[in-house]
Amino acid sequence: MSIPVLLDCDPGHDDVFAIWLAAGNDAIDLRGVTTVGGNGYLEHTTRNARIALTVAGVTDVPVAAGADKPLKRELTPGAWIHGDNALGGPVLPEPTVPLDQRHAVQFLADTLAASTEPLTVIPTGPLTNIALLLQQHPEVAPKIQEIIWMGGSTGRGNVGAYPEFNAWADPEAAAVVFASGLPLTMVGLNISHQALITEDVIQRIGAVGNATSAFGVELMRFFCSTYEKAEGMPEGPLHDPITVAIAIDRAVASVQRCHVDIETTGEFTAGATCVDLHDMLGKEPNADVAITLDVPKFWDLVTDAVAALA
Ligand code: BDR
Ligand code: CA
């Protein structure tokens, strides 16, 4: 029995690996990829999602483009990490997989409504599309099995002292999702910085020897070079596929159930996830917060998925 999944993303180097892990592992039945403005403008993230599928030879997964900017803010793309087209590094081929003409929010609502079983929703970018889905189509919320989101942090940020990029890009959307009462797992920087792209990892992906692996190595090299410049981290963290890995195998990460508030107004902290790890507030928990990654198991999953693709 495979797990039906909708992946909402903003590719972005690590989003591409999330797409590949979802498409290349038999435990996942990837029912659609939707895109949002985040790492790049929507036109780039949508094109990049189609490129990720094209490179991997995946032709049967619909792609739909969603929100081009956050609910209440302007978009600031993550060009300092991902480049101007959000997928710096490799020469990008023309995508051949088609684009569904529906808005992603409509596509998500239609797909959830038509499904006979609940679907797992995996967002790896700002939560704009998911918040709009819950606001505009609350009737499909019971069809969401769970949400596994890459974003936030229990500690440090990456766009300021505390805020993480996906939460910071659209904190109002994150607040909607965290208040939804839906089963929610937060995969933040505290765990994603355990998924470091070491030289061994790059060699292992390269040794797979297919087109996906060659493209993947170029993505990893660019991503590590910008991480070195921006954060002094020559081994960049491959954040997004941890979400898919958790859907495949819960044992890949430990979690702690707790209450998370989203800071939308702080002078220094807007976009921070306030994770009450020590239950100081006594509030009802609203998320499973991922804490510790089984690093070898994670890279096995990623490598095996790349090997299963074109
Ligand atoms: C998150 O922001 C983007 O740079 C990555 O794709 C990831 O989703 C990490 O903060
Ligand atoms: Ca992302």
Side-chain angles (χ1 to χ4, degrees), residues 256-260 274-286:
Q256 184 174 331
R257 184 136 191 84
C258 51
H259 186 85
V260 179
C274 303
V275 182
D276 191 7
L277 284 176
H278 305 290
D279 196 23
M280 301 307 294
L281 302 172
K283 290 183 175 176
E284 192 65 33
N286 59 355

Side-chain angles (χ1 to χ4, degrees), residues 20 23 39 54 73 100 103 111 113 150 161 172-173 184 192 227 234-235 283 306:
W20 289 346
N39 286 327
T54 301
R73 297 168 192 250
D100 194 290
H103 190 284
T111 308
M150 192 285 135
E172 285 77 17
L184 173 62
S192 71
Y227 254 97
E235 298 174 346
K283 290 183 175 176
V306 168

Side-chain angles (χ1 to χ4, degrees), residues 162-174:
Y162 291 112
E164 176 281 331
F165 180 81
N166 290 337
W168 167 85
D170 198 344
E172 285 77 17

Side-chain angles (χ1 to χ4, degrees), residues 4 16 40 78 92 101-102 121 125 140 151 228 231 251 268:
V16 168
L92 300 181
Q101 289 313 302
R102 285 169 287 182
V121 173
V140 299
E228 180 167 23
E231 298 198 28
F268 303 111

Side-chain angles (χ1 to χ4, degrees), residues 111-202:
T111 308
L112 287 160
S115 177
T116 54
E117 58 195 330
L119 305 182
T120 294
V121 173
I122 302 185
T124 61
L127 285 166
T128 321
N129 286 339
I130 310 305
L132 289 170
L133 175 71
L134 297 175
Q135 288 175 334
Q136 295 173 5
H137 302 277
E139 72 285 357
V140 299
K143 290 290 197 68
I144 298 177
Q145 177 75 28
E146 61 171 327
I147 297 171
I148 309 176
W149 173 56
M150 192 285 135
S153 178
T154 63
R156 61 158 291 174
N158 61 4
V159 281
Y162 291 112
E164 176 281 331
F165 180 81
N166 290 337
W168 167 85
D170 198 344
E172 285 77 17
V176 169
V177 173
F178 276 76
S180 70
L182 289 166
L184 173 62
T185 300
M186 180 185 117
V187 176
L189 296 179
N190 54 290
I191 184 166
S192 71
H193 278 222
Q194 297 165 42
L196 297 177
I197 306 168
T198 63
E199 186 58 33
D200 278 358
V201 165
I202 298 178

Side-chain angles (χ1 to χ4, degrees), residues 42-69:
L42 184 68
E43 85 187 74
H44 288 132
T45 59
T46 303
R47 185 176 151 80
N48 294 347
R50 294 172 62 219
I51 288 171
L53 291 167
T54 301
V55 167
V58 179
T59 55
D60 57 351
V61 175
V63 181
D68 60 0
K69 61 189 209 116

